[in-house]
Amino acid sequence: MRKDSDVPYTADAPQRPSAEELRARIPGWGADLDPADRPSVPREQFLPTGAHWTLPEDQRPQPGQAERERSIEHGRLTPVYGTSVPLRGLSGVIRRHAYRRYSEARAAHWLLLLGADRVDAVESHLASLLTTRPDNPITQTGIQSELGQGPLRSRFGQHRADSSHHVIDPVLIAGPWVLAGGAAYGALKLLRRRAADRR
């Protein structure tokens, strides 16, 4: 017959023993309960480190430095932050809006950041077309290695955790390239039409 004491979780609040009962039952329990009895804990002691500041001077925002995004929960930036990849383009606008408008506890904050990542990918692909070495979707997306590693056999009947988004993978990978190709085709078509109108 099952007793109430066998059930780990009940609707009623559990009966918690007092500190004295636990100390009497468990040798050593609560040895650090009194701060006066605690052993040395580095984080509770002030150790001279030689630092003469609380915020490193070289990490303070410099004149002309790009503004870094900061969550609205924080009063200031962390003492150390990166400036090598400033926000840019439409993806930067979306990211700034996510940080300025929504708390990190809101789903909108993270959904906007995820969307900004996708926009950034499209922007990067389009920008690569303007360089002498544009992105190569054949070699850089891993399609060649997929063909040689049993793409169908490895996806079906293997109980893979990522099988639920196999359908959307081609859209995420090929979508930016299709959009870039469509944009390039539309731009060329527009230029040809304008050239024909001038004749």
Side-chain angles (χ1 to χ4, degrees):
M1 180 178 179
R2 190 176 67 178
K3 300 180 297 184
D4 289 343
S5 59
D6 297 333
V7 182
Y9 300 102
T10 62
D12 300 328
Q15 296 294 325
R16 296 182 177 176
S18 64
E20 289 73 18
E21 291 174 336
L22 288 173
R23 187 176 289 109
R25 194 176 70 194
I26 305 173
W29 187 92
D32 59 348
L33 207 58
D34 186 354
D37 296 334
R38 292 181 185 178
S40 298
V41 179
R43 70 176 183 177
E44 295 183 353
Q45 294 182 351
F46 176 77
L47 300 176
T49 61
H52 60 280
W53 34 251
T54 55
L55 190 66
E57 291 90 346
D58 58 346
Q59 291 298 323
R60 294 178 187 276
Q62 301 296 317
Q65 188 179 58
E67 180 185 0
R68 294 304 306 178
E69 56 277 16
R70 173 176 57 83
S71 297
I72 58 178
E73 290 93 343
H74 301 158
R76 60 170 176 78
L77 286 172
T78 55
V80 179
Y81 56 88
T83 58
S84 61
V85 188
L87 301 183
R88 62 178 183 175
L90 179 60
S91 60
V93 173
I94 297 174
R95 287 178 174 132
R96 285 192 187 94
H97 179 69
Y99 277 99
R100 290 176 179 170
R101 178 68 176 84
Y102 297 103
S103 161
E104 290 184 1
R106 300 278 303 275
H109 175 87
W110 301 107
L111 290 174
L112 282 172
L113 293 181
L114 288 173
D117 286 345
R118 294 296 91 202
V119 172
D120 192 13
V122 174
E123 290 176 334
S124 298
H125 291 318
L126 292 175
S128 75
L129 297 177
L130 303 177
T131 66
T132 56
R133 301 184 64 181
D135 294 342
N136 186 337
I138 303 300
T139 60
Q140 296 176 352
T141 56
I143 291 179
Q144 290 177 320
S145 62
E146 281 280 336
L147 296 177
Q149 302 297 324
L152 296 179
R153 177 167 42 85
S154 65
R155 282 177 168 75
F156 297 101
Q158 303 296 326
H159 305 291
R160 287 174 49 165
D162 61 343
S163 59
S164 59
H165 63 77
H166 282 168
V167 176
I168 200 173
D169 283 347
V171 178
L172 293 176
I173 295 173
W177 294 102
V178 173
L179 289 176
Y185 175 76
L188 289 174
K189 191 174 180 181
L190 180 61
L191 290 174
R192 291 183 62 181
R193 184 181 302 170
R194 287 186 177 180
D197 292 341
R198 290 178 181 175
R199 292 175 184 172

